[in-house]
Amino acid sequence: MSTGIIIGEDSLARPSWAATDPMMRTYYDTEWGMPVRDEHGVFERLSLEAFQAGLSWSTILRKRENFREAFAGFDPEVIEGFGEAKVEELLGNAGIIRNRAKILATIKNAKATIALREDGGLADFIWSFQPDSTPAPNALEDIPTTSPESVAMSKALKKRGFAFVGPTTMFALMEALGIVDTHLLGSHRRGTSGIWTA
């Protein structure tokens, strides 16, 4: 069974998905799995994970700057005011994923994020689902796609008015934010978040 670990020309061990494409490698080395605890950072990643549903992460990453421009830097207060004219404009923007349901979900989630400020805010809410332990995968096949916490988070967010927050998408969000560490045990990034030990 392949572990999915590849040693790069820099002698660092990475999973196969982050080993060849320079953009994905930089994202893996510097950003993925590092703690994000501010509302803006969490909202942006929540939004991008929703757009990623059914697509590859590299597709989203390549369009991230376009998304930031189209969605006002992922400022919930601006996005909550997006009306039908803005939705139509976004549907005509080839630089982003032109999916009406996902665009409407982003607007809905901006409103829900603002409402959540009265109860501690989005970042604290998301981080409250941090588990007691994190997976310790030896191979890519060992990495789960959901967890009891991601299922609970999905249900709780839906109750709060969020959309496109299924358990698999929320587990991916937990990985991206550092709430869980699913770096392979042989990876140079395992345990580097400061949240979990190697």
Side-chain angles (χ1 to χ4, degrees):
M1 181 175 73
S2 163
T3 63
I5 283 276
I6 294 175
I7 307 297
E9 68 276 5
D10 54 7
S11 300
L12 295 177
R14 298 177 182 87
S16 52
W17 66 263
T20 50
D21 181 331
M23 177 192 67
M24 293 291 279
R25 185 166 61 192
T26 299
Y27 174 69
Y28 180 80
D29 284 353
T30 63
E31 189 174 347
W32 189 70
M34 294 306 286
V36 178
R37 294 183 179 273
D38 63 291
E39 179 191 85
H40 176 264
V42 172
F43 178 71
E44 175 176 322
R45 285 159 182 83
L46 177 80
S47 302
L48 292 175
E49 291 291 351
F51 273 102
Q52 190 262 332
L55 303 168
S56 72
W57 182 247
S58 61
T59 299
I60 300 301
L61 209 51
R62 279 190 183 82
K63 294 176 178 281
R64 180 158 65 167
E65 289 309 318
N66 298 333
F67 273 111
R68 285 173 171 166
E69 192 176 326
F71 284 93
F74 287 102
D75 181 339
E77 292 180 13
V78 177
I79 295 171
E80 78 157 343
F82 283 7
E84 186 54 38
K86 184 66 176 181
V87 171
E88 290 303 321
E89 178 192 316
L90 291 168
L91 285 168
N93 185 341
I96 65 167
I97 305 300
R98 293 179 286 183
N99 179 304
R100 178 179 288 274
K102 292 178 179 181
I103 290 168
L104 292 175
T106 305
I107 298 167
K108 185 176 183 182
N109 292 349
K111 293 173 181 172
T113 295
I114 290 167
L116 206 48
R117 289 176 183 170
E118 294 177 11
D119 199 15
L122 179 65
D124 284 354
F125 190 79
I126 295 285
W127 275 88
S128 73
F129 292 92
Q130 182 180 339
D132 294 328
S133 62
T134 194
N138 279 302
L140 292 173
E141 308 87 74
D142 299 336
I143 300 172
T145 55
T146 62
S147 68
E149 293 79 16
S150 79
V151 171
M153 184 197 297
S154 171
K155 286 179 181 169
L157 285 169
K158 284 174 184 171
K159 267 190 186 168
R160 296 286 188 148
F162 287 81
F164 269 89
V165 289
T168 302
T169 300
M170 289 306 92
F171 190 77
L173 179 68
M174 293 169 81
E175 292 176 292
L177 298 176
I179 296 173
V180 292
D181 184 347
T182 58
H183 289 290
L184 298 178
L185 292 178
S187 165
H188 82 96
R189 284 292 320 282
R190 180 76 190 179
T192 58
S193 70
I195 304 293
W196 305 100
T197 58

